[in-house]
Amino acid sequence: MKTLEDVKANGHEEALRELLFQLADDDFIVAYRGSEWLGLAPHIEEDVAFSSISQDTMGHATMYYQLLEDLDAGIANDLAHGRMPEERRNAILLEEVNGPGHYLEEPRYDWAFAVVRHYFYTQAKKIRTDSLQQSSYEPLSHVAIKVNTELYYHLMHWKTWFKQLITIPGEAQERMLEAVSKVLEDMDGVLTLGPQAEQMAQAGLIEGEALLRKRWMNEIESMMDSCNIQVNLEPQMKRGDGRALTHTEDLNTAIETLSAVYRQDPAAIW
Amino acid sequence: MTLVLQSVEKSLENVKDPEIDSVSIIDLGMVEHVEVADHNAYVALLPTFMGCPALEIIEKNVREELLKVEGIQTVQVKFIYSPPWTSDRITEQGRERLKEFGIAPPPTQVETTGEWHVDCPYCGSTYTTMDNIFGPTACRSILYCKSCKNPFEAMKPVSTM
């Protein structure tokens, strides 16, 4: 399938849009949370690295919103900034604040949570993107190939942090293990493809959810083994399914902040 | 090849990377396709890094540059993702110009482990260390030369491996 007409003729329009909204909204919100670390990261090299990764990730969201625009779902900029929180398909884990406090006033952000959330998400994104390279929708497979060239560096980065912190006995390891338990409570919200997962797989847009989840489990298990860490790896969806439009207050405040400039003048050229 | 098409292609050499003004978009291997028909120039570009804020500036500069070409009245610029841009698309001339700017060109050899090495663009020494794989722009890394004691930047290798 190469065009909207092909997709329509095959009856896969709804499943394709749903998948693209998940991909776009996930990257959009996690890039925003990442960019909130600017100036607060543990050292200056990390400030540079994390903001570069967040910028790439926002670029990936842009491509997915552009694919939606090509499918007549609306203008990319409006899709990114103009949609209400209750219309968004991102996983709840990705909208969560970085920690207590406010960016401008006494931010008490949790670096262990950042490392675990971004590593677990980036690994899931890698597995998903690898699968999308064979997507039956050709424009999506092209975007996936492009995303993967950049994702290579992101995954390497988070693996390095994860390994280094979780293998240091004492406070580092304790806080990392705590963060692992916390992230796992909502991780299945990232791994799920939502209510239309089956239609997506049947259309050949992406492989089945169970298979992708298994691959993610294998990767994380082998990382844990190499770090000599025993963890009960059971990703859950405690706070609900973002793919099915369930969200928390954290998403409301995030959207309100990040779309403030857009709302002042939606027609402005940036 | 028509004369107008030739002039269009020549003009694209004047469009520089806004962040590295010695290197053109031709040098970087960003130009995938150029077409001229009925006074309209169509240019398909490959974005280097997607989140790069220079992309919009490049698009605008291509448009402005080509409108100066005699016989061209309209310009269409499109970013396409296939084939993906990879760092081996940078031309020999582009590699030289990067060095002149103080940026080491991307390594052509990447080990199967993903490891790679670059020499100092100032003194040519191989005695260099990686400070940060991420740099001031998405496409660059920060390194340090232990021979001439200069910090320097290098273009990241980007491949579909």
mmCIF file of all heavy atoms in Angstrom, chain A residues 52 55-56, chain B residues 14-25 28 30 47-59 61 85 97-103 135-141 153-156:
data_model
loop_
_atom_site.group_PDB
_atom_site.id
_atom_site.type_symbol
_atom_site.label_atom_id
_atom_site.label_comp_id
_atom_site.label_asym_id
_atom_site.label_seq_id
_atom_site.Cartn_x
_atom_site.Cartn_y
_atom_site.Cartn_z
ATOM 1 N N SER A 52 19.744 16.478 22.719
ATOM 2 C CA SER A 52 19.896 16.038 21.329
ATOM 3 C C SER A 52 18.959 14.853 21.039
ATOM 4 O O SER A 52 18.284 14.805 20.009
ATOM 5 C CB SER A 52 21.359 15.639 21.082
ATOM 6 O OG SER A 52 21.595 15.386 19.736
ATOM 7 N N GLN A 55 15.449 16.113 20.843
ATOM 8 C CA GLN A 55 15.225 16.812 19.569
ATOM 9 C C GLN A 55 14.990 15.800 18.440
ATOM 10 O O GLN A 55 14.062 15.951 17.637
ATOM 11 C CB GLN A 55 16.448 17.672 19.258
ATOM 12 C CG GLN A 55 16.229 18.654 18.128
ATOM 13 C CD GLN A 55 17.513 19.398 17.777
ATOM 14 O OE1 GLN A 55 18.584 18.798 17.652
ATOM 15 N NE2 GLN A 55 17.415 20.694 17.619
ATOM 16 N N ASP A 56 15.827 14.761 18.387
ATOM 17 C CA ASP A 56 15.617 13.694 17.389
ATOM 18 C C ASP A 56 14.219 13.105 17.542
ATOM 19 O O ASP A 56 13.497 12.886 16.562
ATOM 20 C CB ASP A 56 16.600 12.527 17.607
ATOM 21 C CG ASP A 56 18.033 12.856 17.209
ATOM 22 O OD1 ASP A 56 18.253 13.875 16.539
ATOM 23 O OD2 ASP A 56 18.925 12.056 17.581
ATOM 24 N N ASN B 14 25.410 26.618 -4.178
ATOM 25 C CA ASN B 14 25.455 27.843 -3.366
ATOM 26 C C ASN B 14 24.642 27.732 -2.094
ATOM 27 O O ASN B 14 24.685 28.615 -1.242
ATOM 28 C CB ASN B 14 24.904 29.034 -4.167
ATOM 29 C CG ASN B 14 25.728 29.291 -5.400
ATOM 30 O OD1 ASN B 14 26.924 29.009 -5.409
ATOM 31 N ND2 ASN B 14 25.096 29.807 -6.447
ATOM 32 N N VAL B 15 23.848 26.669 -1.985
ATOM 33 C CA VAL B 15 23.055 26.501 -0.761
ATOM 34 C C VAL B 15 23.905 25.755 0.260
ATOM 35 O O VAL B 15 24.214 24.572 0.088
ATOM 36 C CB VAL B 15 21.746 25.729 -1.036
ATOM 37 C CG1 VAL B 15 20.934 25.608 0.254
ATOM 38 C CG2 VAL B 15 20.938 26.415 -2.114
ATOM 39 N N LYS B 16 24.296 26.478 1.305
ATOM 40 C CA LYS B 16 25.190 25.891 2.306
ATOM 41 C C LYS B 16 24.403 25.371 3.504
ATOM 42 O O LYS B 16 23.282 25.801 3.762
ATOM 43 C CB LYS B 16 26.194 26.952 2.800
ATOM 44 C CG LYS B 16 26.950 27.663 1.685
ATOM 45 C CD LYS B 16 27.870 26.729 0.930
ATOM 46 C CE LYS B 16 28.646 27.497 -0.146
ATOM 47 N NZ LYS B 16 29.348 26.591 -1.068
ATOM 48 N N ASP B 17 25.041 24.493 4.242
ATOM 49 C CA ASP B 17 24.488 24.081 5.521
ATOM 50 C C ASP B 17 24.511 25.313 6.437
ATOM 51 O O ASP B 17 25.579 25.889 6.660
ATOM 52 C CB ASP B 17 25.375 22.961 6.114
ATOM 53 C CG ASP B 17 24.863 22.459 7.451
ATOM 54 O OD1 ASP B 17 24.252 23.265 8.198
ATOM 55 O OD2 ASP B 17 25.077 21.285 7.768
ATOM 56 N N PRO B 18 23.357 25.751 6.968
ATOM 57 C CA PRO B 18 23.338 26.970 7.777
ATOM 58 C C PRO B 18 24.261 26.903 8.995
ATOM 59 O O PRO B 18 24.634 27.927 9.544
ATOM 60 C CB PRO B 18 21.882 27.090 8.217
ATOM 61 C CG PRO B 18 21.113 26.195 7.330
ATOM 62 C CD PRO B 18 22.036 25.131 6.850
ATOM 63 N N GLU B 19 24.594 25.683 9.414
ATOM 64 C CA GLU B 19 25.443 25.568 10.596
ATOM 65 C C GLU B 19 26.910 25.286 10.263
ATOM 66 O O GLU B 19 27.766 25.297 11.131
ATOM 67 C CB GLU B 19 24.884 24.473 11.526
ATOM 68 C CG GLU B 19 23.598 24.943 12.199
ATOM 69 C CD GLU B 19 22.774 23.812 12.791
ATOM 70 O OE1 GLU B 19 22.837 22.681 12.284
ATOM 71 O OE2 GLU B 19 22.053 24.075 13.755
ATOM 72 N N ILE B 20 27.192 24.985 8.992
ATOM 73 C CA ILE B 20 28.574 24.761 8.545
ATOM 74 C C ILE B 20 28.694 25.456 7.191
ATOM 75 O O ILE B 20 28.463 24.840 6.149
ATOM 76 C CB ILE B 20 28.910 23.248 8.368
ATOM 77 C CG1 ILE B 20 28.337 22.419 9.526
ATOM 78 C CG2 ILE B 20 30.402 23.022 8.218
ATOM 79 C CD1 ILE B 20 28.401 20.918 9.313
ATOM 80 N N ASP B 21 29.057 26.734 7.190
ATOM 81 C CA ASP B 21 28.871 27.508 5.962
ATOM 82 C C ASP B 21 29.873 27.239 4.850
ATOM 83 O O ASP B 21 29.813 27.853 3.789
ATOM 84 C CB ASP B 21 28.781 29.009 6.273
ATOM 85 C CG ASP B 21 30.019 29.513 6.980
ATOM 86 O OD1 ASP B 21 31.029 28.778 6.998
ATOM 87 O OD2 ASP B 21 29.975 30.632 7.538
ATOM 88 N N SER B 22 30.802 26.289 5.057
ATOM 89 C CA SER B 22 31.709 25.950 3.963
ATOM 90 C C SER B 22 31.198 24.744 3.170
ATOM 91 O O SER B 22 31.759 24.381 2.146
ATOM 92 C CB SER B 22 33.111 25.655 4.513
ATOM 93 O OG SER B 22 33.060 24.547 5.382
ATOM 94 N N VAL B 23 30.144 24.123 3.651
ATOM 95 C CA VAL B 23 29.688 22.867 3.055
ATOM 96 C C VAL B 23 28.304 23.034 2.428
ATOM 97 O O VAL B 23 27.383 23.527 3.074
ATOM 98 C CB VAL B 23 29.641 21.760 4.140
ATOM 99 C CG1 VAL B 23 29.189 20.449 3.552
ATOM 100 C CG2 VAL B 23 31.003 21.594 4.793
ATOM 101 N N SER B 24 28.177 22.635 1.169
ATOM 102 C CA SER B 24 26.884 22.785 0.494
ATOM 103 C C SER B 24 26.020 21.538 0.678
ATOM 104 O O SER B 24 26.506 20.482 1.097
ATOM 105 C CB SER B 24 27.090 23.040 -0.992
ATOM 106 O OG SER B 24 27.405 21.823 -1.637
ATOM 107 N N ILE B 25 24.748 21.695 0.317
ATOM 108 C CA ILE B 25 23.852 20.535 0.444
ATOM 109 C C ILE B 25 24.204 19.452 -0.580
ATOM 110 O O ILE B 25 23.891 18.284 -0.379
ATOM 111 C CB ILE B 25 22.362 20.947 0.324
ATOM 112 C CG1 ILE B 25 22.074 21.679 -0.980
ATOM 113 C CG2 ILE B 25 21.940 21.795 1.522
ATOM 114 C CD1 ILE B 25 20.587 21.912 -1.231
ATOM 115 N N LEU B 28 26.982 17.495 1.074
ATOM 116 C CA LEU B 28 26.457 16.624 2.137
ATOM 117 C C LEU B 28 25.672 15.428 1.591
ATOM 118 O O LEU B 28 25.303 14.536 2.340
ATOM 119 C CB LEU B 28 25.547 17.426 3.080
ATOM 120 C CG LEU B 28 26.245 18.393 4.036
ATOM 121 C CD1 LEU B 28 25.218 19.238 4.773
ATOM 122 C CD2 LEU B 28 27.115 17.642 5.045
ATOM 123 N N MET B 30 22.692 15.621 0.240
ATOM 124 C CA MET B 30 21.268 15.764 0.582
ATOM 125 C C MET B 30 20.364 15.855 -0.638
ATOM 126 O O MET B 30 19.155 15.692 -0.526
ATOM 127 C CB MET B 30 21.052 17.033 1.428
ATOM 128 C CG MET B 30 21.595 16.939 2.837
ATOM 129 S SD MET B 30 21.348 18.496 3.734
ATOM 130 C CE MET B 30 19.576 18.483 3.986
ATOM 131 N N PRO B 47 16.554 14.604 4.309
ATOM 132 C CA PRO B 47 16.935 15.233 5.573
ATOM 133 C C PRO B 47 18.063 14.434 6.229
ATOM 134 O O PRO B 47 18.071 13.193 6.145
ATOM 135 C CB PRO B 47 15.661 15.172 6.413
ATOM 136 C CG PRO B 47 14.824 14.102 5.815
ATOM 137 C CD PRO B 47 15.206 14.003 4.370
ATOM 138 N N THR B 48 19.004 15.132 6.884
ATOM 139 C CA THR B 48 20.077 14.408 7.579
ATOM 140 C C THR B 48 19.492 13.839 8.868
ATOM 141 O O THR B 48 19.196 12.657 8.951
ATOM 142 C CB THR B 48 21.255 15.353 7.883
ATOM 143 O OG1 THR B 48 20.737 16.527 8.493
ATOM 144 C CG2 THR B 48 21.979 15.719 6.611
ATOM 145 N N PHE B 49 19.287 14.704 9.869
ATOM 146 C CA PHE B 49 18.598 14.288 11.092
ATOM 147 C C PHE B 49 17.238 14.963 11.098
ATOM 148 O O PHE B 49 17.130 16.152 10.818
ATOM 149 C CB PHE B 49 19.408 14.680 12.334
ATOM 150 C CG PHE B 49 20.497 13.702 12.650
ATOM 151 C CD1 PHE B 49 21.647 13.657 11.867
ATOM 152 C CD2 PHE B 49 20.381 12.805 13.701
ATOM 153 C CE1 PHE B 49 22.658 12.742 12.139
ATOM 154 C CE2 PHE B 49 21.387 11.889 13.980
ATOM 155 C CZ PHE B 49 22.534 11.861 13.201
ATOM 156 N N MET B 50 16.200 14.210 11.457
ATOM 157 C CA MET B 50 14.836 14.723 11.323
ATOM 158 C C MET B 50 14.527 15.917 12.216
ATOM 159 O O MET B 50 13.774 16.805 11.865
ATOM 160 C CB MET B 50 13.831 13.614 11.627
ATOM 161 C CG MET B 50 13.345 12.896 10.427
ATOM 162 S SD MET B 50 13.072 13.963 9.018
ATOM 163 C CE MET B 50 11.674 14.941 9.575
ATOM 164 N N GLY B 51 15.104 15.929 13.409
ATOM 165 C CA GLY B 51 14.776 17.018 14.326
ATOM 166 C C GLY B 51 15.610 18.261 14.070
ATOM 167 O O GLY B 51 15.546 19.217 14.818
ATOM 168 N N CYS B 52 16.417 18.228 13.001
ATOM 169 C CA CYS B 52 17.356 19.317 12.728
ATOM 170 C C CYS B 52 16.611 20.603 12.357
ATOM 171 O O CYS B 52 15.890 20.644 11.370
ATOM 172 C CB CYS B 52 18.290 18.901 11.607
ATOM 173 S SG CYS B 52 19.489 20.171 11.201
ATOM 174 N N PRO B 53 16.810 21.663 13.148
ATOM 175 C CA PRO B 53 16.091 22.908 12.864
ATOM 176 C C PRO B 53 16.595 23.605 11.596
ATOM 177 O O PRO B 53 15.964 24.539 11.115
ATOM 178 C CB PRO B 53 16.363 23.770 14.105
ATOM 179 C CG PRO B 53 17.556 23.184 14.760
ATOM 180 C CD PRO B 53 17.657 21.754 14.337
ATOM 181 N N ALA B 54 17.734 23.145 11.055
ATOM 182 C CA ALA B 54 18.277 23.767 9.840
ATOM 183 C C ALA B 54 17.471 23.381 8.601
ATOM 184 O O ALA B 54 17.579 24.033 7.558
ATOM 185 C CB ALA B 54 19.742 23.365 9.664
ATOM 186 N N LEU B 55 16.663 22.323 8.702
ATOM 187 C CA LEU B 55 15.959 21.824 7.509
ATOM 188 C C LEU B 55 15.077 22.884 6.872
ATOM 189 O O LEU B 55 15.062 23.064 5.653
ATOM 190 C CB LEU B 55 15.135 20.573 7.846
ATOM 191 C CG LEU B 55 15.931 19.324 8.257
ATOM 192 C CD1 LEU B 55 14.984 18.190 8.629
ATOM 193 C CD2 LEU B 55 16.872 18.885 7.148
ATOM 194 N N GLU B 56 14.338 23.615 7.708
ATOM 195 C CA GLU B 56 13.436 24.626 7.161
ATOM 196 C C GLU B 56 14.199 25.774 6.519
ATOM 197 O O GLU B 56 13.759 26.355 5.524
ATOM 198 C CB GLU B 56 12.514 25.168 8.260
ATOM 199 C CG GLU B 56 11.361 24.228 8.531
ATOM 200 C CD GLU B 56 10.429 24.760 9.612
ATOM 201 O OE1 GLU B 56 10.061 25.940 9.529
ATOM 202 O OE2 GLU B 56 10.102 23.993 10.528
ATOM 203 N N ILE B 57 15.351 26.099 7.114
ATOM 204 C CA ILE B 57 16.183 27.170 6.554
ATOM 205 C C ILE B 57 16.733 26.719 5.196
ATOM 206 O O ILE B 57 16.750 27.478 4.230
ATOM 207 C CB ILE B 57 17.342 27.518 7.523
ATOM 208 C CG1 ILE B 57 16.772 27.893 8.887
ATOM 209 C CG2 ILE B 57 18.206 28.634 6.959
ATOM 210 C CD1 ILE B 57 17.805 28.062 9.986
ATOM 211 N N ILE B 58 17.147 25.467 5.127
ATOM 212 C CA ILE B 58 17.666 24.932 3.864
ATOM 213 C C ILE B 58 16.585 24.984 2.790
ATOM 214 O O ILE B 58 16.823 25.413 1.662
ATOM 215 C CB ILE B 58 18.188 23.481 4.066
ATOM 216 C CG1 ILE B 58 19.473 23.509 4.894
ATOM 217 C CG2 ILE B 58 18.418 22.797 2.721
ATOM 218 C CD1 ILE B 58 20.009 22.144 5.289
ATOM 219 N N GLU B 59 15.384 24.599 3.157
ATOM 220 C CA GLU B 59 14.267 24.613 2.197
ATOM 221 C C GLU B 59 14.064 26.024 1.640
ATOM 222 O O GLU B 59 13.934 26.227 0.430
ATOM 223 C CB GLU B 59 12.995 24.120 2.908
ATOM 224 C CG GLU B 59 11.813 24.018 1.972
ATOM 225 C CD GLU B 59 10.559 23.478 2.676
ATOM 226 O OE1 GLU B 59 10.667 22.914 3.775
ATOM 227 O OE2 GLU B 59 9.474 23.657 2.098
ATOM 228 N N ASN B 61 16.259 28.495 1.636
ATOM 229 C CA ASN B 61 17.418 28.925 0.861
ATOM 230 C C ASN B 61 17.454 28.311 -0.537
ATOM 231 O O ASN B 61 17.879 28.950 -1.495
ATOM 232 C CB ASN B 61 18.719 28.614 1.612
ATOM 233 C CG ASN B 61 18.862 29.467 2.869
ATOM 234 O OD1 ASN B 61 18.065 30.384 3.094
ATOM 235 N ND2 ASN B 61 19.851 29.172 3.687
ATOM 236 N N TRP B 85 19.009 9.226 4.221
ATOM 237 C CA TRP B 85 20.330 9.848 4.175
ATOM 238 C C TRP B 85 21.277 9.052 5.071
ATOM 239 O O TRP B 85 20.921 8.670 6.179
ATOM 240 C CB TRP B 85 20.261 11.296 4.680
ATOM 241 C CG TRP B 85 21.595 11.982 4.638
ATOM 242 C CD1 TRP B 85 22.169 12.597 3.561
ATOM 243 C CD2 TRP B 85 22.546 12.100 5.711
ATOM 244 N NE1 TRP B 85 23.407 13.094 3.898
ATOM 245 C CE2 TRP B 85 23.665 12.809 5.215
ATOM 246 C CE3 TRP B 85 22.558 11.681 7.043
ATOM 247 C CZ2 TRP B 85 24.789 13.101 5.990
ATOM 248 C CZ3 TRP B 85 23.680 11.971 7.825
ATOM 249 C CH2 TRP B 85 24.774 12.673 7.300
ATOM 250 N N ARG B 97 36.008 19.837 2.999
ATOM 251 C CA ARG B 97 35.495 21.125 3.497
ATOM 252 C C ARG B 97 35.094 21.057 4.970
ATOM 253 O O ARG B 97 35.204 22.046 5.696
ATOM 254 C CB ARG B 97 34.309 21.590 2.646
ATOM 255 C CG ARG B 97 34.759 22.072 1.286
ATOM 256 C CD ARG B 97 33.610 22.512 0.424
ATOM 257 N NE ARG B 97 34.103 23.064 -0.828
ATOM 258 C CZ ARG B 97 33.316 23.368 -1.862
ATOM 259 N NH1 ARG B 97 32.023 23.160 -1.780
ATOM 260 N NH2 ARG B 97 33.828 23.872 -2.957
ATOM 261 N N LEU B 98 34.609 19.917 5.383
ATOM 262 C CA LEU B 98 34.288 19.741 6.802
ATOM 263 C C LEU B 98 35.549 19.917 7.644
ATOM 264 O O LEU B 98 35.558 20.613 8.656
ATOM 265 C CB LEU B 98 33.701 18.349 7.052
ATOM 266 C CG LEU B 98 32.208 18.156 6.762
ATOM 267 C CD1 LEU B 98 31.850 16.673 6.821
ATOM 268 C CD2 LEU B 98 31.338 18.932 7.752
ATOM 269 N N LYS B 99 36.626 19.297 7.173
ATOM 270 C CA LYS B 99 37.909 19.384 7.895
ATOM 271 C C LYS B 99 38.372 20.830 7.994
ATOM 272 O O LYS B 99 38.825 21.274 9.043
ATOM 273 C CB LYS B 99 38.973 18.546 7.176
ATOM 274 C CG LYS B 99 39.054 17.127 7.706
ATOM 275 C CD LYS B 99 40.339 16.467 7.290
ATOM 276 C CE LYS B 99 40.051 15.394 6.270
ATOM 277 N NZ LYS B 99 41.256 14.717 5.772
ATOM 278 N N GLU B 100 38.230 21.569 6.870
ATOM 279 C CA GLU B 100 38.617 22.985 6.875
ATOM 280 C C GLU B 100 37.846 23.756 7.939
ATOM 281 O O GLU B 100 38.338 24.702 8.533
ATOM 282 C CB GLU B 100 38.333 23.633 5.510
ATOM 283 C CG GLU B 100 39.328 23.257 4.435
ATOM 284 C CD GLU B 100 38.797 23.600 3.046
ATOM 285 O OE1 GLU B 100 37.907 24.467 2.931
ATOM 286 O OE2 GLU B 100 39.266 22.966 2.079
ATOM 287 N N PHE B 101 36.622 23.325 8.173
ATOM 288 C CA PHE B 101 35.766 24.006 9.147
ATOM 289 C C PHE B 101 36.111 23.568 10.580
ATOM 290 O O PHE B 101 35.634 24.139 11.540
ATOM 291 C CB PHE B 101 34.299 23.672 8.824
ATOM 292 C CG PHE B 101 33.303 24.578 9.493
ATOM 293 C CD1 PHE B 101 33.040 25.841 8.985
ATOM 294 C CD2 PHE B 101 32.614 24.175 10.635
ATOM 295 C CE1 PHE B 101 32.120 26.679 9.601
ATOM 296 C CE2 PHE B 101 31.692 25.010 11.254
ATOM 297 C CZ PHE B 101 31.450 26.271 10.729
ATOM 298 N N GLY B 102 36.952 22.546 10.686
ATOM 299 C CA GLY B 102 37.326 22.051 12.017
ATOM 300 C C GLY B 102 36.468 20.895 12.490
ATOM 301 O O GLY B 102 36.465 20.542 13.660
ATOM 302 N N ILE B 103 35.718 20.309 11.545
ATOM 303 C CA ILE B 103 34.884 19.155 11.903
ATOM 304 C C ILE B 103 35.426 17.921 11.185
ATOM 305 O O ILE B 103 35.584 17.934 9.961
ATOM 306 C CB ILE B 103 33.417 19.385 11.490
ATOM 307 C CG1 ILE B 103 32.842 20.589 12.248
ATOM 308 C CG2 ILE B 103 32.567 18.143 11.734
ATOM 309 C CD1 ILE B 103 31.440 20.959 11.836
ATOM 310 N N GLY B 135 26.525 15.996 20.257
ATOM 311 C CA GLY B 135 27.218 17.276 20.202
ATOM 312 C C GLY B 135 26.278 18.453 20.120
ATOM 313 O O GLY B 135 25.096 18.323 20.416
ATOM 314 N N PRO B 136 26.813 19.600 19.686
ATOM 315 C CA PRO B 136 26.004 20.827 19.638
ATOM 316 C C PRO B 136 24.880 20.770 18.601
ATOM 317 O O PRO B 136 23.917 21.520 18.703
ATOM 318 C CB PRO B 136 27.018 21.911 19.287
ATOM 319 C CG PRO B 136 28.148 21.188 18.642
ATOM 320 C CD PRO B 136 28.203 19.847 19.278
ATOM 321 N N THR B 137 25.021 19.927 17.601
ATOM 322 C CA THR B 137 23.903 19.693 16.682
ATOM 323 C C THR B 137 23.710 18.181 16.588
ATOM 324 O O THR B 137 24.599 17.414 16.956
ATOM 325 C CB THR B 137 24.160 20.244 15.254
ATOM 326 O OG1 THR B 137 25.163 19.440 14.633
ATOM 327 C CG2 THR B 137 24.612 21.696 15.273
ATOM 328 N N ALA B 138 22.537 17.782 16.085
ATOM 329 C CA ALA B 138 22.184 16.360 16.073
ATOM 330 C C ALA B 138 23.213 15.502 15.327
ATOM 331 O O ALA B 138 23.427 14.348 15.669
ATOM 332 C CB ALA B 138 20.800 16.182 15.450
ATOM 333 N N CYS B 139 23.878 16.080 14.308
ATOM 334 C CA CYS B 139 24.740 15.258 13.451
ATOM 335 C C CYS B 139 26.176 15.176 13.958
ATOM 336 O O CYS B 139 27.011 14.542 13.336
ATOM 337 C CB CYS B 139 24.708 15.788 12.015
ATOM 338 S SG CYS B 139 25.240 17.505 11.879
ATOM 339 N N ARG B 140 26.500 15.831 15.080
ATOM 340 C CA ARG B 140 27.903 15.885 15.485
ATOM 341 C C ARG B 140 28.178 15.271 16.857
ATOM 342 O O ARG B 140 27.305 15.235 17.712
ATOM 343 C CB ARG B 140 28.386 17.338 15.532
ATOM 344 C CG ARG B 140 28.211 18.076 14.233
ATOM 345 C CD ARG B 140 28.867 19.435 14.353
ATOM 346 N NE ARG B 140 28.078 20.460 13.699
ATOM 347 C CZ ARG B 140 28.289 21.765 13.868
ATOM 348 N NH1 ARG B 140 29.236 22.179 14.674
ATOM 349 N NH2 ARG B 140 27.545 22.639 13.228
ATOM 350 N N SER B 141 29.439 14.847 17.048
ATOM 351 C CA SER B 141 29.922 14.376 18.341
ATOM 352 C C SER B 141 31.065 15.294 18.782
ATOM 353 O O SER B 141 31.626 16.018 17.970
ATOM 354 C CB SER B 141 30.473 12.952 18.219
ATOM 355 O OG SER B 141 29.476 12.077 17.775
ATOM 356 N N GLU B 153 35.006 18.629 16.838
ATOM 357 C CA GLU B 153 33.754 17.925 16.591
ATOM 358 C C GLU B 153 33.928 16.980 15.408
ATOM 359 O O GLU B 153 34.789 17.183 14.560
ATOM 360 C CB GLU B 153 32.641 18.930 16.295
ATOM 361 C CG GLU B 153 32.296 19.763 17.519
ATOM 362 C CD GLU B 153 31.427 20.946 17.184
ATOM 363 O OE1 GLU B 153 30.875 20.997 16.075
ATOM 364 O OE2 GLU B 153 31.312 21.836 18.044
ATOM 365 N N ALA B 154 33.093 15.953 15.365
ATOM 366 C CA ALA B 154 33.118 15.012 14.242
ATOM 367 C C ALA B 154 31.686 14.713 13.823
ATOM 368 O O ALA B 154 30.792 14.693 14.665
ATOM 369 C CB ALA B 154 33.818 13.717 14.648
ATOM 370 N N MET B 155 31.476 14.513 12.527
ATOM 371 C CA MET B 155 30.151 14.084 12.059
ATOM 372 C C MET B 155 29.955 12.635 12.480
ATOM 373 O O MET B 155 30.821 11.803 12.273
ATOM 374 C CB MET B 155 30.064 14.156 10.530
ATOM 375 C CG MET B 155 30.095 15.550 9.959
ATOM 376 S SD MET B 155 28.473 16.354 9.940
ATOM 377 C CE MET B 155 27.680 15.576 8.554
ATOM 378 N N LYS B 156 28.793 12.352 13.041
ATOM 379 C CA LYS B 156 28.467 10.976 13.434
ATOM 380 C C LYS B 156 28.332 10.096 12.207
ATOM 381 O O LYS B 156 27.732 10.521 11.221
ATOM 382 C CB LYS B 156 27.097 10.941 14.107
ATOM 383 C CG LYS B 156 27.061 11.323 15.532
ATOM 384 C CD LYS B 156 25.648 10.998 16.055
ATOM 385 C CE LYS B 156 25.405 11.681 17.366
ATOM 386 N NZ LYS B 156 24.258 12.550 17.380
#
